Amino acid sequence: MSTASDMSAQEMPTVVLIHGAFAGSSSWNGVIADLKRRGYPVIAVANPLRGVQKDAAYVRALLDSLPGPVVMAAHSYGGLVMTEAAAGAANVKALVYVASVSPDVGESVIGLLTKYPGSQLATSINMVPIPSDDGGTTMDQYIFQDKYPEVFAADVDPSTAEVMAATQRPASASAQEEGVTKAAWKTIPSWTLITTQDQGIPPDLQRFLADRAGSTAVEIAASHAVAVSQPGPVADLIDTAARATARSMQMSKSRQG
């Protein structure tokens, strides 16, 4: 395992983690512990899951408050938020998509999931009406608890998966329907962890998006909840992205000098 001693304090980026729908910041706990052992400062954002633009504005405010370089990693729907929020952020040096999507301008979760078969989410969602900001009614989306372990976390310990189902964070309908207006992966290097046993985001869709983005892709036999079931490989890929970023910054400084 690499440690902070392998990089100078100035080169150690802050790792910003963004969870997706049907999970929360605690889904990153194993990854955070691993990254902290390596010496990385880490922030796991409490993604509001209210809509791409609202969520991205929330995350961007955090990014703008951080003084040094940043490596971002996002899971599932969090990939849309990261793709929007990181665009034009000078301190963001790398993007890591974890069982996630890297949309282009105008693309939404719902639209992307129609590109390839295999997602079980559409038949597993419980729609709960809630008040909307305009005084009307909108919908929050949960995965039915009895379907959650199989669809979302098939390789997670069953007792842990049950707790995850009970504590899942719902996403508003607009979060699934809204498209991005910017695509940060067009200007920021990216890495993608493709989960080959994923029943949430089909592996073929993950491969297509990674290839389109020119992302460095790694495949792992894991469910959609890979950050919970296999945090080590997730932390490894984030570390790889951070180190590649540090080398690139060093080379740039050398050329300028």
Side-chain angles (χ1 to χ4, degrees):
M1 179 183 294
S2 54
T3 64
S5 63
D6 299 312
M7 270 194 280
S8 71
Q10 291 78 18
E11 293 169 337
M12 295 293 287
T14 297
V15 177
V16 174
L17 305 171
I18 307 174
H19 67 81
F22 320 121
S25 296
S26 62
S27 63
W28 293 107
N29 282 358
V31 177
I32 293 168
D34 194 325
L35 291 171
K36 296 288 279 185
R37 284 194 294 270
R38 302 177 196 231
Y40 288 99
V42 185
I43 300 172
V45 181
N47 188 0
L49 304 179
R50 298 298 88 192
V52 175
Q53 299 308 314
K54 286 183 178 180
D55 298 344
Y58 181 87
V59 172
R60 180 58 180 263
L62 171 66
L63 295 177
D64 289 344
S65 76
L66 299 175
V70 170
V71 169
M72 298 183 73
H75 176 248
S76 195
Y77 160 79
L80 282 89
V81 177
M82 179 171 73
T83 297
E84 180 83 21
N91 58 338
V92 177
K93 305 302 181 182
L95 309 173
V96 183
Y97 292 93
V98 179
S100 185
V101 290
S102 47
D104 204 346
V105 173
E107 292 180 338
S108 66
V109 169
I110 288 179
L112 287 171
L113 289 180
T114 64
K115 287 183 176 291
Y116 291 90
S119 176
Q120 302 300 311
L121 287 175
T123 58
S124 306
I125 296 297
N126 182 25
M127 305 288 281
V128 178
I130 60 169
S132 61
D133 292 342
D134 61 7
T137 300
T138 185
M139 293 290 179
D140 254 1
Q141 301 180 344
Y142 295 80
I143 298 176
F144 287 108
Q145 288 195 31
D146 61 342
K147 293 187 175 183
Y148 190 101
E150 177 184 356
V151 172
F152 198 90
D155 59 348
V156 174
D157 173 76
S159 61
T160 301
E162 287 182 3
V163 172
M164 291 171 65
T167 59
Q168 64 181 289
R169 291 273 308 280
S172 69
S174 61
Q176 311 290 7
E177 297 164 357
E178 238 181 88
V180 300
T181 64
K182 309 178 188 72
W185 51 262
K186 293 185 177 182
T187 56
I188 301 173
S190 68
W191 284 255
T192 299
L193 188 65
I194 297 168
T195 40
T196 62
Q197 298 173 359
D198 202 316
Q199 295 190 55
I201 299 177
D204 284 343
L205 174 60
Q206 296 179 49
R207 293 183 184 106
F208 163 76
L209 295 173
D211 183 66
R212 183 180 68 177
S215 187
T216 300
V218 175
E219 298 201 3
I220 184 170
S223 75
H224 194 56
V226 61
V228 178
S229 65
Q230 300 190 52
V234 177
D236 285 344
L237 190 59
I238 294 170
D239 181 61
T240 296
R243 290 178 180 282
T245 295
R247 287 193 296 271
S248 177
M249 292 173 65
Q250 288 174 343
M251 291 174 62
S252 177
K253 289 178 181 178
S254 297
R255 287 193 293 267
Q256 292 174 3

